[in-house]
Amino acid sequence: MRRFSCLIILALILNAQSKPTYKLTYFDFKLRGEFIRFILSYSGAEFEDNRIKPEDWPALKPTTPFGQIPVLEIKKGSQVIEIAQSQAIARYLASQFGLNGRNDLENALIDMYGAQMGDLFDAFSAAFNRNQTEEFFSQVWPQNFQYFEDRLAKNGNGFLVGRSLKWADIYLSQMTDFLGNAKDEFLKRFPLIRALDQKVRSIPGIA
Amino acid sequence: MVTYKLYYFNMKGRGELIRLLFAASGQKYEDFRIEKNDWPEYKAKSPFGQAPYLEITNGKKTMILSQSVAIGRYLARKFGFAGKGDEEQAMVDMYGDQISDLLNEFAKFMMEQDETKKQEIFQKLQNEIMPFHMKFFEAKLAQSKTGFFFDSGLTWIDLYLFNLLGLLGDQRNQLFEHFKAVKNLYDKVSEHGKIKAYLETRPETAM
């Protein structure tokens, strides 16, 4: 009996050691890091949310894969892997934690919506830095949100793709934060996106 | 039986990655090139009002995918050019996104109408942005045993970077003087069996 329980304890220790651990390095902003934090929180995995100060960035920059953050460090047994680029990180974590599609086609659709959101974010960032966001609020956001709203309507179950939450749903929810004070008013026109956002934010772990 | 129809303009641009993937795999597809005047009609059919988009028909079911990299990754997975294992695929994705960032910078240059601004952007591209990104690609390629980004063999990002270098025209020779492993990749892809045959027969377009 004692030998058996020793074996169980050994198995538990080995299992714990072989579980990957994650460290996300990003500034203490939402921007490109927050939706990854959402995904990690959802996963329940052990992760270190390494928020760095702008003044510490220059020293850290050369140690990163592309001189940019976010970067995800994955420790798997004795392997250490660093992944840069927020969508690559999100897709990887999604594949580990059931937030990706059931097949290649679903994955492609999720990637497509994720990529469109990424483009939107890049363009909004650029416009924001030039103080030229009016076109965004009058045309670009509404047009893109309509694509996402139409997709939600077509899929019919509150999610963008398939039958359950995917990383692109989490990304979309996070994107709505960039609407700032205009968010509530804006989302009145997009009830399905609003419902998705509320659903994501009420998930235990993310809430 | 699944059939594929690619909708894009008569240019390389963001569509060529997809054409190169079909070429590398030997998979037949319809390479539909949209005339500029006909664009409004096809724009209405595309998921996000953009091209390229890929129509996938399986019996009676048809699906349309948008976003060139999402399409690229989907085909890469199908044809075995995505990388081996989740971690390597994440790293392939990471380099892919970085190449996209560079392509987007190049696209800004191409789309600028104002001649003075265009020159400014060109200088910045040539002196800062290109070298900044190429440095990372060079470092990765220089480590390779196969001359491709990853030792496991050709992946979609080899084709993606090859295409971007193609868009640079003769300017790439200047780049090749400083980035030998990048030049080696360009030559390797050019010589790759099925791709070489495709390159010899594809329509000649400036971009």
Side-chain angles (χ1 to χ4, degrees):
Chain A
M1 201 49 213
R2 186 180 278 174
R3 187 181 292 175
F4 185 60
S5 49
C6 279
L7 283 173
I8 293 185
I9 291 166
L10 187 64
L12 284 168
I13 293 171
L14 284 173
N15 189 46
Q17 281 178 343
S18 67
K19 262 206 190 118
T21 60
Y22 305 97
K23 177 165 113 174
L24 178 70
T25 299
Y26 192 55
F27 297 112
D28 192 7
F29 306 140
K30 290 181 185 175
L31 299 180
R32 298 185 193 276
E34 193 71 359
F35 84 108
I36 301 169
R37 291 182 184 121
F38 275 25
I39 292 169
L40 282 163
S41 301
Y42 169 89
S43 73
E46 187 187 315
F47 82 99
E48 187 187 333
D49 187 5
N50 183 30
R51 295 177 187 241
I52 66 157
K53 302 193 192 77
E55 56 266 27
D56 296 335
W57 172 232
L60 193 65
K61 188 175 156 118
T63 69
T64 63
F66 297 142
Q68 295 167 327
I69 43 181
V71 168
L72 181 75
E73 182 192 87
I74 305 156
K75 280 197 179 132
K76 234 181 160 183
S78 56
Q79 253 193 320
V80 180
I81 298 154
E82 281 193 311
I83 309 289
Q85 287 286 355
S86 58
Q87 286 180 50
I89 295 170
R91 187 178 306 105
Y92 173 76
L93 290 172
S95 70
Q96 305 304 298
F97 297 115
L99 288 170
N100 221 349
R102 291 169 293 173
N103 54 52
D104 286 343
L105 272 175
E106 277 197 4
N107 284 337
L109 282 169
I110 295 163
D111 284 351
M112 171 176 126
Y113 282 94
Q116 191 69 7
M117 289 170 207
D119 282 355
L120 191 58
F121 176 72
D122 286 345
F124 180 66
S125 256
F128 186 84
N129 290 334
R130 291 191 312 260
N131 244 334
Q132 289 173 344
T133 56
E134 314 85 56
E135 190 194 336
F136 253 81
F137 283 93
S138 61
Q139 282 178 45
V140 185
W141 282 126
Q143 181 175 70
N144 278 273
F145 271 46
Q146 195 59 56
Y147 292 135
F148 307 146
E149 183 82 3
D150 289 347
R151 174 67 202 180
L152 286 166
K154 182 174 175 177
N155 205 36
N157 57 17
F159 302 111
L160 284 164
V161 178
R163 294 190 206 135
S164 60
L165 188 74
K166 309 296 181 204
W167 67 268
D169 297 299
I170 295 179
Y171 198 11
L172 179 54
S173 163
Q174 222 291 296
M175 293 285 293
T176 64
D177 275 351
F178 302 129
L179 297 167
N181 295 329
K183 178 173 168 172
D184 285 341
E185 193 54 43
F186 198 84
L187 288 186
K188 282 186 184 152
R189 289 187 271 168
F190 304 104
L192 295 176
I193 297 178
R194 186 179 55 194
L196 174 61
D197 179 49
Q198 287 166 348
K199 187 184 297 195
V200 168
R201 286 173 203 273
S202 63
I203 290 173
I206 293 179
Chain B
M1 204 192 73
V2 186
T3 59
Y4 302 94
K5 183 169 173 177
L6 173 67
Y7 292 79
Y8 192 56
F9 306 108
N10 185 28
M11 53 191 278
K12 298 187 285 280
R14 292 185 191 276
E16 196 68 6
L17 166 64
I18 300 161
R19 295 187 184 118
L20 287 166
L21 276 162
F22 278 118
S25 70
Q27 168 69 49
K28 290 207 173 7
Y29 73 109
E30 190 182 337
D31 181 12
F32 184 76
R33 293 175 183 239
I34 305 167
E35 293 292 323
K36 285 223 170 78
N37 294 334
D38 297 336
W39 173 231
E41 176 196 338
Y42 291 99
K43 186 180 160 99
K45 291 189 185 151
S46 90
F48 299 142
Q50 296 168 326
Y53 61 95
L54 183 72
E55 192 179 76
I56 305 165
T57 305
N58 195 354
K60 293 208 181 96
K61 280 199 273 186
T62 296
M63 214 183 83
I64 299 185
L65 283 181
S66 178
Q67 286 284 354
S68 58
V69 171
I71 297 168
R73 189 179 300 106
Y74 170 72
L75 294 174
R77 285 214 188 106
K78 276 235 163 323
F79 303 147
F81 298 123
K84 307 254 179 303
D86 288 348
E87 286 74 29
E88 185 171 289
Q89 288 188 2
M91 287 193 281
V92 169
D93 285 352
M94 161 176 122
Y95 280 94
D97 283 351
Q98 201 69 10
I99 296 167
S100 287
D101 285 353
L102 182 56
L103 183 61
N104 289 339
E105 293 292 333
F106 182 68
K108 280 182 201 158
F109 162 69
M110 290 307 298
M111 295 197 296
E112 182 56 58
Q113 305 281 8
D114 181 301
E115 269 309 312
T116 318
K117 264 202 167 167
K118 202 174 166 98
Q119 264 311 301
E120 270 174 43
I121 299 176
F122 179 74
Q123 290 304 322
K124 192 161 188 224
L125 206 55
Q126 191 178 53
N127 300 329
E128 285 173 41
I129 298 173
M130 279 284 171
F132 173 77
H133 285 85
M134 285 296 161
K135 205 171 72 239
F136 297 119
F137 307 145
E138 178 76 9
K140 181 72 176 125
L141 288 163
Q143 285 176 355
S144 167
K145 295 191 190 92
T146 58
F148 297 120
F149 269 103
F150 286 87
D151 288 343
S152 61
L154 181 76
T155 59
W156 64 271
I157 58 173
D158 295 303
L159 302 176
Y160 198 23
L161 184 58
F162 170 80
N163 184 51
L164 188 145
L165 294 165
L167 298 176
L168 297 177
D170 291 333
Q171 295 287 341
R172 67 174 165 269
N173 294 322
Q174 233 181 25
L175 213 65
F176 287 164
E177 277 175 36
H178 302 284
F179 300 108
K180 298 274 189 275
V182 170
K183 174 186 193 304
N184 189 44
L185 173 71
Y186 185 81
D187 293 339
K188 242 187 121 67
V189 174
S190 307
E191 292 298 310
H192 186 280
K194 294 189 176 115
I195 294 173
K196 183 172 180 174
Y198 168 67
L199 295 176
E200 282 161 6
T201 58
R202 72 173 173 183
E204 284 281 324
T205 60
M207 272 291 116

